[in-house]
Amino acid sequence: MSYAAFKMMHWATGIEHCAAGYVTHSAADFTPRIPLVTGDDLDSDWTTAAKPIGPIPNLITAAANVLEVYTVRIQEEASSSSTDSKLAAEPKRGGVLAGVSGASLELVCHYRLHGNVESLGVLPNGGVDGGRGRDSIILTFQDAKISVLEFDDSIHGLRTSSMHCFEGPDWLQLKRGRECFPRGPVVKVDPLGRCAAVLVYGQQMIVLKAAEVFFYCRLNLVTFNSDENLASSGLVGEDNAFNSGPSGAARIESSYIVGLRDLDMKHVKDLIFINGYIEPVVVILHEKELTWAGRVSSKHHTCMISALSISTTLKQHPLIWSAENFPHDAHKLLAVPSPIGGVLVIGANMIHYHSQSASCLLALNNFAVPVDGSQEMPRASFSTELDGANATWLANDVAMFSTKTGELLLLTLVYDGRIVQRLELSKSRASVLTSDITTIGNSLIFLGSRLGDSLLVQYNSGVGAPALTPGVKEEVGDIESDAPLAKRLRMSSSDALQDMVNAEELSLYGSGPNNAQASQKTFAFAVRDSLLNVGPLKDFSYGLRINADPNATGLAKQSNYELVCCSGHGKNGALSVLQQSIRPETVTQESLPGCKGIWTVYHKNIRSDSSKGLADEDEYHAYLIISLENRTMVLQTANNLEEVTENVDYYVQGSTIAAGNLFGRRRVIQIFARGARILDGAFMTQDLSFKSSNSESGTGSEGTTVSSVSIADPYVLLRMTDGSIQLLIGDPLTCTVSVTSPPVFESSNKLVSACTLYHDKGPEPWLRKTSTDAWLSTGIGEAIDGADGMTHDQSDVYCVLCYENGNLEIFDVPNFSSVFSFDKFVSGKSHIVDTFSHSNGSDPVKLMKKDSEDVGHDRKESTNSVQVVELSMQRWDPEHSRPFLLGILSDGSILCYHAYIYEVSENASKVEGAASSQSSSRLRNLRFMRVALDPYAREETSSGISSQRMTIFKNVGGLQGLFLSGPRPAWFMMFRERLRVHPQVCDGPIVAFTVLHNVNCNHGFIYITSQGALKICQLPVLSSYDNYWPVHKVPLKGTPHQVTYFAEKNLYPVIVSVPVLKPLNQVLSTLVDQEAGNQFEHDNLSFEGTYPVEEFEIRIMEPEKAGGPWHTRATIPLQTSENALTVRVVTLFNTTTQGNETLLAIGTAYVQGEDVAARGRVLLYSVEMNSDNGQAKVSEVYSKELKGAISALASLQGHLLIASGPKIILHKWTGSELNGVAFYDVPPLYVVSLNIVKNFILLGDIHKSIYFLSWKEQGSQLNLLAKDFGSLDCLATEFLIDGSTLSLTVSDDQKNVQIFYYAPKMSESWKGQKLLSRAEFHVGAHITKFLRLQLLPTSADRTASDKTNRFGLLFGTLDGSIGCIAPLDELTFRRLQSLQKKLVDAVSHVAGLNPRSFRHFHSNGKAHRPGPDSIVDFELLSHYEILPLEEQLDIANQIGTTRTQIMSNLNDLTIATSFL
């Protein structure tokens, strides 16, 4: 393997940073629905429900290098005049709280950056004075890069507004000679948006000065209250100067550097901007002189805070006040909002409040020490620790902390005027372990987590608490409410299920004097939404699924496997079962060869209609229509499928093209090649036959038949084989249909290559909003609701079509006047706008002709050879959703566009006289943006048959989206305005697909494979599909550490540790070396209290029937203070019986502190399944205590290789005991991983890189062949096999991957002692496990036979991402590498990041000799498919190859690595 490709397959899900800000809209865009409360909310006796929900900002999240912006959609409680009974009927997750029945996150944009986000800030602009301004996002990246992004409505995405870089040779002096820094740049923003500060290199503060736009209207800054006044202030002063212009986002004007070292601040821990000053004031927490563990008892208050007033114009920063004597473990600052002001200093054991006028503190536990050792300190009523805690403000005097154990604590500031008298801490709920936490608006918080699922929580504060009984305070419930269990399992298969306590709403209040400020506040919480997370992946194993198909071959065989991962930590610990492809659960299966298409239709009987009153989605299907080669079958579907072909008036003599419902499901229309039938149930009411539309074609017209059909009640659009179209118009009163041929196409000779109808229905038709500005100016909700309620469900029908020359046009139906047109849709531009409204020429026809002639003549064959063969436009249910437009091209690629509205300002859109009168009806504010689909394998160019491949489904197992049939079937599922693509490879190509809902198959589906099998299936219930891969989480309520797969019994042994509280005496007595006899003197062993200790066990888990819950079949407990480090299934050769035995081997270590010599045990167990009760019978076969921790085990040709402390020992197994055969003193410190191929051993050390050994049977020798002489902190190792070449792969703690090889004949390998570098690459995530899997054969490989023995490495990371490293042959590598170099410049990268610098090896200041650049980065190469067709051809031309060649290389790697 000289060359490799790096490819991500599942991106990071663990959210590390989150923030809230008005990014896509301004605070003034919000129209309040509830009348605002007059007067101060605290004084009035309003009930809790009266608090209005103010404007809601966006949520910005960052997970490793994935940046996402969400909007929060609030669903209000159903009122009597409900807008839509179906929407408001059922309150969503979390019940009804404060008049809100649900809130959900909806994705606005999603970016994968070429760099990990180190910190995230929001630069506010309009949020303070209810203005029309918007906020910008500030991102910082390793070493000292800062990017400022703003949302641009015209492209509906983020655009970089400024970039600031302080690294490289010009800025070396900022590092002051240091090379490695413990953390990346940290950004903090002034709450009024006047400037931002970034701490880089630990001691340089970069001040970013914001451009001054809005400042003269901000005189009342100091007095602004919390968000409750925002909505009202946004409605006052309509003659405001800023209202006319478009809302501008905050910008950064300039930046300069403040050296904190020169201000005598050495060890900076945190910084923050505080409220209540006229100039921006930044408070810096720093340590004057460091202390260390041995000196803490005498030198403990070493931190201090200093406040600098920053004048950005004068570039001066005078010190205005400072305070000393904060504890050494203070780690975080929190700015108290106005009107109180000041700053909270958070330490592990105490909280200090400090401002210029007052200061007070609160001790959290017994380890808090007063400064002078004498004074009494106010203490909290319970004991807790706040190291690693995150905090946010719920009100201007209540902060919420999320601790390292997942508890939520509320800190209330009891204040009078602006003087804080004391702090009070109280317990609230338990929740997920957070990595960041932010308040969104005035009633929502978001708990971002990289250890569990992130939660969106609504909170509501009331006034005047009910008096609590004293006992209630201590009982802490989980934040999830107590919905019925089955319903909650459906809502979240996630960590939110953890503590299922029936938690009453726990009230929290300060018991202080009931003056106006400290009036008791109670808080109620409701979880509204959660974002799934499968990280951190500590280990995973690759096993068979329960419903695997033993005789599958090729690609279909891969969907037999699944990945079982250890993810999460503590109470969020879980096994995540990941599957790249969907494997449906089959209900029944029939053989039906020669099938062409399949449809299910409803039949509504008019008489029984009123009595049943069933909701539409619960109605069962009536008939199933199956089209065969030369006949059609009809089956009844009400109960069982029974053929009724003989008894119905359907056309059954030939094959059917399409079937569907018309007139609100009262009629069925069936369309065949030369005609159509309308049926009422089984009886035909009308029979039509089609004539050719083009009159001038004369006699040849007999041959034209229907090619494709699109139905949108009451219209049916037909595309004939000769490229003409016909429209059937239904009359709902008589339930009859008439054929028309649109007049637009009578004269023109443009041939249509694909067309579809788009039915825009719902309480507010979406496309109407794009034609005129009047819609948006009156808040969208009110304009439509008529008082009579009749106008609710309106619908418009549009016809979207593509001509053979690749142009797209949208007509309204039935008038067929053009409302939108775009040239060269087929080339896949990143954005689509209406050419007519946005061009300067007045005649659109001239434009089109001109355009089509000057398409490059040199490459004419290529661009014109690609056509759009199928179109689909669809808008799924939620009221805010925007339509998607999908097109399939003739080369098999899919274009996916998402519609959005961009209002063009009046003067720009006034085209010259004649055109503007026509353009009034056009959808001139409609735009589409290209959406990248997660890479899925496209099929090789499809053959001539144009069967329709996209099937829309509205409810399959409660999900909605579309199914793509064909050679590589896939599900496109709609979640929060994003399409998730999940392939389905288990049955090979799929010919036809349709949904089925009846008694036996509830919201299921039917599909027909190319082998002619008809399968009726349902989707697996417990999987969650709103993820890059479908995932099923099995909660463990403990931390999983390692998992392995016992293939013979289909069991998964997992190491799990659970924290247990033990008495301190007991813990301390285990830290004494028993043999040495150093007993503690008993008088000082009087420690009170408890201490949490992790207790380890091995659980043997088994998945029940497919997609069902998992069960623990057996548990192996370990001794106290014994940690299990590794569990492996090993095959040993029993020298007594001369046969192989498969056993479970466990390596452990006793963790007893630094005074006790390290020991460990190796345990061997045999596992038998008990067929009666399904339990596993586990019996210990052997155990032995050794010196040193047993950190890794492996079986080597029937022997057991044990890594015990600083040596490895090879044992043979006699059936009753292990006997040492050979040993080698190799890992200097500690073995992290051990891999074996044949008789070669690869060993990774925690600090000393890798060692390559071999084992010789005849002399019983372990020999060191070579090692890497560098110092590398290994995390995982594995062999990479490419044909006959063996390479060694290792990942390290700097997020790199290196590939070494052994070449004793090369002179630079020092006669073979040194491993040589073959490739190196920066992954950007900690890789914890590699798994070697054989690559699948692709179309290119079938000719050459030498590529059979190729293996790729699948890896998992601590961010929750999964990827692979796969070998490439040299020709492909050279081609892709030159493409990669082109793409660095050809693609505009988000936030201005350079992919080349991101992928350079990060050595963190250690000496490192650069290795060869022989890995290509698929993260960058995947951008090639999203480029417009012309650019793709151009780049391919420049590097001397063709587009099809590049596409087939990219596709081959996707197929070769679809392991799951």
Side-chain angles (χ1 to χ4, degrees):
M1 188 238 70
S2 309
Y3 305 101
F6 164 84
K7 182 173 191 303
M8 289 307 285
M9 301 157 86
H10 179 292
W11 285 265
T13 54
I15 291 179
E16 281 157 33
H17 308 284
C18 59
Y22 293 98
V23 180
T24 64
H25 56 279
S26 63
D29 295 346
F30 170 83
T31 47
R33 308 259 174 105
I34 309 175
L36 285 168
V37 182
T38 48
D40 189 356
D41 204 20
L42 291 181
D43 301 339
S44 56
D45 299 324
W46 283 83
T47 56
T48 51
K51 169 180 161 187
I53 291 198
I56 297 181
N58 298 87
L59 169 71
I60 303 115
T61 64
N65 66 332
V66 179
L67 177 74
E68 294 180 326
V69 179
Y70 291 94
T71 6
V72 184
R73 293 283 180 218
I74 294 283
Q75 188 190 352
E76 309 212 335
E77 190 182 354
S79 57
S80 52
S81 61
S82 154
T83 47
D84 185 349
S85 54
K86 184 171 58 135
L87 278 179
E90 163 188 22
K92 296 283 186 299
R93 169 175 182 179
V96 177
L97 174 63
V100 173
S101 63
S104 59
L105 294 171
E106 187 180 287
L107 186 76
V108 179
C109 49
H110 161 101
Y111 293 105
R112 295 175 191 152
L113 313 174
H114 297 290
N116 288 353
V117 178
E118 291 292 325
S119 73
L120 168 70
V122 170
L123 182 69
N125 190 350
V128 173
D129 53 357
R132 308 216 163 271
R134 293 191 184 175
D135 307 344
S136 294
I137 303 173
I138 306 181
L139 303 174
T140 64
F141 302 93
Q142 207 59 288
D143 288 336
K145 297 187 204 61
I146 305 159
S147 287
V148 186
L149 304 175
E150 60 181 56
F151 188 79
D152 183 348
D153 286 319
S154 62
I155 59 168
H156 201 77
L158 297 177
R159 175 170 276 172
T160 312
S161 71
S162 64
M163 290 151 58
H164 314 264
C165 180
F166 296 89
E167 51 188 72
D170 305 344
W171 299 99
L172 274 179
Q173 76 276 9
L174 296 183
K175 294 188 176 186
R176 302 187 68 100
R178 289 174 63 190
E179 278 298 328
C180 65
F181 298 94
R183 60 179 179 177
V186 180
V187 61
K188 300 287 178 182
V189 186
D190 173 43
L192 303 180
R194 293 166 294 191
C195 64
V198 183
L199 181 70
V200 297
Y201 302 129
Q203 50 204 4
Q204 308 287 346
M205 182 170 76
I206 294 164
V207 178
L208 305 172
K209 180 189 176 189
E212 303 198 11
V213 198
F214 286 128
F215 292 141
Y216 57 85
C217 67
R218 287 198 174 155
L219 302 174
N220 57 345
L221 293 180
V222 190
T223 59
F224 85 96
N225 208 322
S226 63
D227 296 310
E228 287 157 320
N229 301 345
L230 290 188
S232 55
S233 61
L235 305 174
V236 186
E238 287 300 311
D239 53 350
N240 205 328
F242 312 117
N243 285 357
S244 53
S247 46
R251 299 267 169 102
I252 294 294
E253 187 182 273
S254 59
S255 56
Y256 63 94
I257 300 173
V258 177
L260 298 178
R261 190 72 185 259
D262 313 336
L263 301 172
D264 205 26
M265 302 181 194
K266 295 203 185 75
H267 311 284
V268 179
K269 294 183 153 196
D270 198 11
L271 73 165
I272 200 150
F273 283 91
I274 58 173
N275 294 289
Y277 287 85
I278 294 170
E279 290 268 297
V281 172
V282 62
V283 175
I284 298 172
L285 171 69
H286 54 109
E287 205 161 357
K288 283 179 301 190
E289 40 189 308
L290 298 176
T291 179
W292 61 287
R295 291 277 294 150
V296 166
S297 55
S298 60
K299 184 177 174 186
H300 39 72
H301 281 66
T302 54
C303 286
M304 64 178 291
I305 55 175
S306 310
L308 307 178
S309 171
I310 291 184
S311 163
T312 48
T313 42
L314 302 172
K315 300 196 176 178
Q316 290 177 349
H317 35 270
L319 177 75
I320 52 175
W321 52 263
S322 64
E324 296 195 342
N325 287 333
F326 291 101
H328 70 95
D329 52 15
H331 59 90
K332 192 185 186 72
L333 295 174
L334 205 59
V336 182
S338 299
I340 309 174
V343 64
L344 286 172
V345 183
I346 316 294
N349 310 314
M350 33 197 338
I351 303 176
H352 289 255
Y353 168 79
H354 190 89
S355 72
Q356 271 178 287
S357 52
S359 64
C360 55
L361 68 132
L362 181 71
L364 304 171
N365 53 39
N366 297 336
F367 299 112
V369 241
V371 186
D372 48 4
S374 62
Q375 67 202 47
E376 251 325 287
M377 289 185 296
R379 292 187 179 271
S381 56
F382 55 94
S383 167
T384 183
E385 291 158 22
L386 285 185
D387 48 327
N390 292 293
T392 188
W393 292 92
L394 300 187
N396 59 5
D397 57 346
V398 181
M400 183 167 88
F401 287 87
S402 162
T403 67
K404 58 186 178 184
T405 56
E407 281 187 311
L408 296 181
L409 309 177
L410 292 175
L411 177 75
T412 310
L413 281 65
V414 182
Y415 66 100
D416 186 6
R418 289 184 65 177
I419 294 178
V420 174
Q421 294 155 347
R422 63 176 190 282
L423 307 173
E424 295 187 347
L425 194 67
S426 55
K427 284 193 183 187
S428 176
R429 301 293 178 84
S431 177
V432 65
L433 304 173
T434 61
S435 56
D436 200 356
I437 175 172
T438 182
T439 309
I440 309 174
N442 61 4
S443 54
L444 292 160
I445 43 174
F446 180 75
L447 308 172
S449 169
R450 58 184 294 275
L451 300 175
D453 292 0
S454 303
L455 303 178
L456 176 71
V457 180
Q458 183 193 348
Y459 67 91
N460 185 37
S461 63
V463 185
L468 274 190
T469 47
V472 182
K473 258 189 195 162
E474 292 308 308
E475 151 197 335
V476 171
D478 199 70
I479 194 161
E480 276 283 348
S481 65
D482 36 20
L485 185 63
K487 199 164 175 182
R488 288 199 24 213
L489 281 172
R490 207 167 57 239
M491 293 186 311
S492 62
S493 51
S494 70
D495 316 318
L497 290 176
Q498 286 304 326
D499 315 41
M500 294 204 185
V501 184
N502 274 7
E504 295 306 309
E505 279 187 358
L506 208 50
S507 297
L508 309 140
Y509 59 90
S511 52
N514 202 348
N515 57 354
Q517 279 77 17
S519 66
Q520 303 167 340
K521 288 198 174 179
T522 60
F523 281 89
F525 295 93
V527 175
R528 290 305 187 191
D529 202 353
S530 57
L531 296 179
L532 199 92
N533 170 23
V534 296
L537 298 175
K538 298 197 192 64
D539 186 35
F540 59 81
S541 77
Y542 182 73
L544 274 177
R545 301 190 194 180
I546 290 283
N547 55 356
D549 174 15
N551 26 10
T553 53
L555 199 56
K557 183 177 178 186
Q558 294 310 307
S559 75
N560 285 345
Y561 297 98
E562 61 192 5
L563 215 54
V564 177
C565 313
C566 295
S567 57
H569 180 85
K571 63 172 191 170
N572 298 324
L575 279 186
S576 296
V577 185
L578 287 155
Q579 306 169 344
Q580 197 176 357
S581 59
I582 288 181
R583 194 179 183 93
E585 298 172 5
T586 313
V587 182
T588 54
Q589 182 172 349
E590 299 289 331
S591 169
L592 196 68
C595 178
K596 284 271 176 271
I598 178 168
W599 300 269
T600 44
V601 292
Y602 298 97
H603 171 228
K604 236 185 200 157
N605 200 335
I606 305 171
R607 290 180 297 283
S608 63
D609 192 27
S610 54
S611 58
K612 272 190 187 162
L614 268 181
D616 276 358
E617 50 264 25
D618 291 340
E619 188 185 342
Y620 289 154
H621 286 101
Y623 293 103
L624 169 67
I625 300 160
I626 302 173
S627 166
L628 304 171
E629 294 280 351
N630 47 15
R631 66 192 185 91
T632 294
M633 286 169 63
V634 182
L635 289 84
Q636 249 180 0
T637 56
N639 300 318
N640 299 324
L641 299 186
E642 303 156 9
E643 187 169 350
V644 291
T645 316
E646 306 303 318
N647 329 349
V648 291
D649 291 344
Y650 283 84
Y651 171 79
V652 294
Q653 291 77 26
S655 59
T656 303
I657 306 284
N661 285 94
L662 286 183
F663 312 123
R665 300 188 178 171
R666 288 178 303 183
R667 295 283 186 275
V668 176
I669 182 163
Q670 178 199 17
I671 294 161
F672 40 97
R674 297 188 182 282
R677 288 189 181 181
I678 308 287
L679 298 107
D680 182 357
F683 309 110
M684 179 168 71
T685 58
Q686 191 182 2
D687 198 353
L688 299 164
S689 64
F690 305 138
K691 307 175 296 302
S692 165
S693 61
N694 283 16
S695 44
E696 62 266 22
S697 53
T699 54
S701 67
E702 300 309 310
T704 68
T705 54
V706 179
S707 161
S708 71
V709 180
S710 171
I711 301 178
D713 187 8
Y715 303 104
V716 182
L717 183 71
L718 314 171
R719 186 176 76 83
M720 314 307 264
T721 44
D722 64 354
S724 64
I725 65 173
Q726 296 195 6
L727 181 72
L728 308 187
I729 303 180
D731 177 355
L733 296 174
T734 60
C735 290
T736 56
V737 172
S738 55
V739 185
T740 59
S741 176
V744 193
F745 302 100
E746 284 292 320
S747 54
S748 72
N749 48 6
K750 290 189 291 189
L751 301 179
V752 177
S753 69
C755 60
T756 183
L757 288 179
Y758 167 58
H759 197 171
D760 200 14
K761 53 175 181 282
E764 31 180 276
W766 192 85
L767 277 181
R768 278 195 206 173
K769 297 187 253 183
T770 63
S771 63
T772 161
D773 305 33
W775 283 92
L776 286 169
S777 53
T778 59
I780 297 166
E782 288 78 16
I784 312 157
D785 301 342
D788 52 354
M790 279 306 291
T791 49
H792 282 326
D793 226 7
Q794 311 170 346
S795 60
D796 304 332
V797 178
Y798 296 90
C799 162
V800 187
L801 50 81
C802 240
Y803 301 110
E804 289 196 346
N805 62 5
N807 297 348
L808 172 97
E809 202 153 359
I810 301 182
F811 296 95
D812 64 348
V813 177
N815 322 331
F816 270 89
S817 58
S818 169
V819 291
F820 186 90
S821 56
F822 182 74
D823 300 342
K824 285 281 165 240
F825 170 75
V826 69
S827 70
K829 299 253 187 346
S830 62
H831 290 84
I832 292 182
V833 297
D834 183 10
T835 33
F836 183 42
S837 316
H838 298 267
S839 63
N840 303 323
S842 54
D843 184 6
V845 183
K846 264 187 221 149
L847 280 172
M848 277 183 191
K849 288 215 177 80
K850 189 182 72 200
D851 200 302
S852 54
E853 274 147 27
D854 50 55
V855 169
H857 291 290
D858 48 343
R859 298 194 306 272
K860 197 166 212 166
E861 42 83 33
S862 308
T863 29
N864 293 352
S865 62
V866 181
Q867 281 186 10
V868 180
V869 293
E870 191 180 345
L871 277 174
S872 175
M873 185 161 167
Q874 180 66 28
R875 176 176 158 228
W876 283 276
D877 253 350
E879 49 180 332
H880 298 282
S881 68
R882 316 191 307 275
F884 280 92
L885 173 65
L886 286 103
I888 302 183
L889 303 187
S890 52
D891 68 345
S893 52
I894 294 185
L895 302 180
C896 175
Y897 284 92
H898 202 172
Y900 64 97
I901 297 178
Y902 175 59
E903 280 191 74
V904 191
S905 55
E906 284 301 318
N907 44 17
S909 63
K910 286 275 192 290
V911 197
E912 283 94 78
S916 65
S917 60
Q918 291 167 279
S919 76
S920 60
S921 65
R922 294 183 72 88
L923 307 177
R924 60 191 179 119
N925 294 333
L926 171 66
R927 294 196 175 190
F928 291 93
M929 61 184 268
R930 174 98 185 257
V931 180
L933 296 172
D934 281 334
Y936 81 107
R938 317 160 335 135
E939 77 284 356
E940 298 69 46
T941 7
S942 52
S943 51
I945 34 169
S946 74
S947 64
Q948 283 172 296
R949 291 176 47 202
M950 292 191 273
T951 313
I952 306 279
F953 58 86
K954 289 285 177 65
N955 187 347
V956 170
L959 307 174
Q960 46 187 12
L962 67 93
F963 183 82
L964 181 75
S965 52
R968 298 215 185 287
W971 294 82
F972 290 66
M973 295 181 180
M974 237 286 288
F975 292 98
R976 12 179 146 259
E977 285 296 274
R978 93 196 280 172
L979 280 177
R980 297 283 197 181
V981 184
H982 300 308
Q984 175 179 324
V985 293
C986 56
D987 292 294
I990 285 179
V991 184
F993 168 95
T994 187
V995 291
L996 172 69
H997 176 46
N998 71 1
V999 177
N1000 302 320
C1001 177
N1002 193 17
H1003 293 301
F1005 52 95
I1006 307 182
Y1007 61 88
I1008 292 175
T1009 65
S1010 56
Q1011 273 83 43
L1014 176 143
K1015 295 193 171 186
I1016 302 181
C1017 303
Q1018 285 176 308
L1019 280 179
V1021 191
L1022 281 178
S1023 292
S1024 166
Y1025 298 97
D1026 185 13
N1027 189 32
Y1028 300 104
W1029 290 359
V1031 58
H1032 167 207
K1033 284 183 94 167
V1034 184
L1036 295 175
K1037 298 195 179 160
T1039 308
H1041 296 273
Q1042 213 179 38
V1043 59
T1044 185
Y1045 179 56
F1046 205 129
E1048 295 176 10
K1049 312 275 193 298
N1050 200 29
L1051 298 171
Y1052 290 91
V1054 192
I1055 299 179
V1056 182
S1057 70
V1058 183
V1060 178
L1061 283 173
K1062 295 209 163 173
L1064 208 48
N1065 295 341
Q1066 199 179 331
V1067 177
L1068 288 174
S1069 64
T1070 60
L1071 302 183
V1072 183
D1073 199 340
Q1074 309 300 338
E1075 291 140 26
N1078 297 347
Q1079 291 300 323
F1080 274 130
E1081 283 79 38
H1082 281 290
D1083 52 333
N1084 57 9
L1085 217 118
S1086 58
F1087 292 108
E1088 299 288 313
T1090 56
Y1091 187 78
V1093 180
E1094 294 279 321
E1095 292 223 328
F1096 281 75
E1097 61 184 22
I1098 287 87
R1099 291 187 200 168
I1100 297 184
M1101 315 270 295
E1102 181 185 30
E1104 215 184 284
K1105 295 297 153 270
W1110 284 50
H1111 292 295
T1112 306
R1113 296 296 182 204
T1115 348
I1116 304 173
L1118 296 180
Q1119 300 171 9
T1120 51
S1121 71
E1122 182 181 26
N1123 288 13
L1125 299 180
T1126 180
V1127 57
R1128 288 287 174 253
V1129 175
V1130 292
T1131 305
L1132 302 181
F1133 181 73
N1134 187 330
T1135 51
T1136 329
T1137 62
Q1138 299 293 312
N1140 283 335
E1141 289 183 33
T1142 306
L1143 300 171
L1144 189 65
I1146 300 167
T1148 73
Y1150 290 98
V1151 178
Q1152 294 172 312
E1154 54 189 11
D1155 299 329
V1156 183
R1159 295 170 303 140
R1161 286 198 304 163
V1162 57
L1163 308 165
L1164 293 179
Y1165 284 86
S1166 71
V1167 182
E1168 294 298 325
M1169 284 307 285
N1170 187 341
S1171 53
D1172 307 339
N1173 56 4
Q1175 292 297 317
K1177 182 167 174 290
V1178 179
S1179 41
E1180 183 179 306
V1181 184
Y1182 178 76
S1183 86
K1184 176 184 186 181
E1185 192 170 292
L1186 297 167
K1187 282 184 182 168
I1190 315 288
S1191 58
L1193 300 160
S1195 55
L1196 170 62
Q1197 295 181 335
H1199 298 64
L1200 183 64
L1201 183 65
I1202 296 175
S1204 151
K1207 63 153 76 100
I1208 54 172
I1209 314 170
L1210 192 68
H1211 293 80
K1212 66 171 197 278
W1213 171 241
T1214 62
S1216 58
E1217 57 183 32
L1218 289 171
N1219 293 334
V1221 179
F1223 74 95
Y1224 197 94
D1225 282 333
V1226 86
L1229 297 166
Y1230 178 89
V1231 177
V1232 180
S1233 70
L1234 206 54
N1235 309 99
I1236 289 179
V1237 163
K1238 293 187 174 170
N1239 61 332
F1240 294 111
I1241 303 166
L1242 168 60
L1243 178 149
D1245 183 80
I1246 186 94
H1247 206 59
K1248 294 286 181 195
S1249 199
I1250 56 173
Y1251 293 79
F1252 183 45
L1253 300 98
S1254 74
W1255 151 248
K1256 287 205 178 69
E1257 182 83 60
Q1258 52 266 37
S1260 297
Q1261 286 175 313
L1262 284 170
N1263 296 329
L1264 179 67
L1265 297 175
K1267 65 174 185 170
D1268 170 30
F1269 282 80
S1271 68
L1272 197 67
D1273 297 356
C1274 296
L1275 296 180
T1277 57
E1278 185 55 278
F1279 287 105
L1280 187 56
I1281 300 171
D1282 180 14
S1284 55
T1285 329
L1286 185 70
S1287 310
L1288 322 173
T1289 311
V1290 55
S1291 73
D1292 63 38
D1293 71 325
Q1294 294 300 313
K1295 307 184 179 183
N1296 305 308
V1297 159
Q1298 275 174 285
I1299 301 177
F1300 292 97
Y1301 66 110
Y1302 174 58
K1305 301 209 168 53
M1306 307 267 286
S1307 58
E1308 61 261 43
S1309 72
W1310 304 348
K1311 295 187 178 173
Q1313 296 177 55
K1314 184 181 177 196
L1315 291 170
L1316 301 178
S1317 172
R1318 184 164 266 168
E1320 59 184 30
F1321 190 81
H1322 182 69
V1323 175
H1326 289 295
I1327 293 182
T1328 50
K1329 166 83 184 257
F1330 287 109
L1331 178 70
R1332 191 172 68 241
L1333 295 172
Q1334 189 156 5
L1335 292 182
L1336 296 156
T1338 58
S1339 53
D1341 298 345
R1342 292 185 188 120
T1343 48
S1345 58
D1346 58 337
K1347 297 187 185 165
T1348 49
N1349 193 28
R1350 305 191 84 168
F1351 287 80
L1353 298 183
L1354 192 71
F1355 62 78
T1357 73
L1358 291 181
D1359 299 328
S1361 52
I1362 299 170
C1364 69
I1365 292 174
L1368 285 180
D1369 52 279
E1370 184 169 2
L1371 186 64
T1372 313
F1373 171 76
R1374 297 274 176 236
R1375 182 182 301 125
L1376 294 179
Q1377 192 185 36
S1378 44
L1379 172 63
Q1380 180 174 311
K1381 286 175 180 159
K1382 284 277 179 226
L1383 287 178
V1384 171
D1385 302 327
V1387 178
S1388 62
H1389 304 293
V1390 185
L1393 293 165
N1394 187 333
R1396 278 183 60 200
S1397 79
F1398 179 44
R1399 297 306 184 184
H1400 268 301
F1401 187 88
H1402 285 221
S1403 62
N1404 199 23
K1406 293 180 187 166
H1408 174 77
R1409 191 174 168 195
D1413 177 23
S1414 12
I1415 296 189
V1416 289
D1417 175 17
F1418 255 70
E1419 283 292 271
L1420 177 56
L1421 292 173
S1422 61
H1423 283 285
Y1424 181 74
E1425 300 182 47
I1426 311 171
L1427 289 174
L1429 188 62
E1430 292 78 17
E1431 288 180 42
Q1432 289 184 11
L1433 296 164
D1434 198 28
I1435 290 177
N1437 209 13
Q1438 288 171 20
I1439 62 176
T1441 178
T1442 62
R1443 171 180 180 265
T1444 41
Q1445 181 66 62
I1446 293 174
M1447 289 300 217
S1448 94
N1449 286 153
L1450 298 178
N1451 208 27
D1452 280 350
L1453 192 79
T1454 305
I1455 294 173
T1457 56
S1458 38
F1459 300 119
L1460 297 164

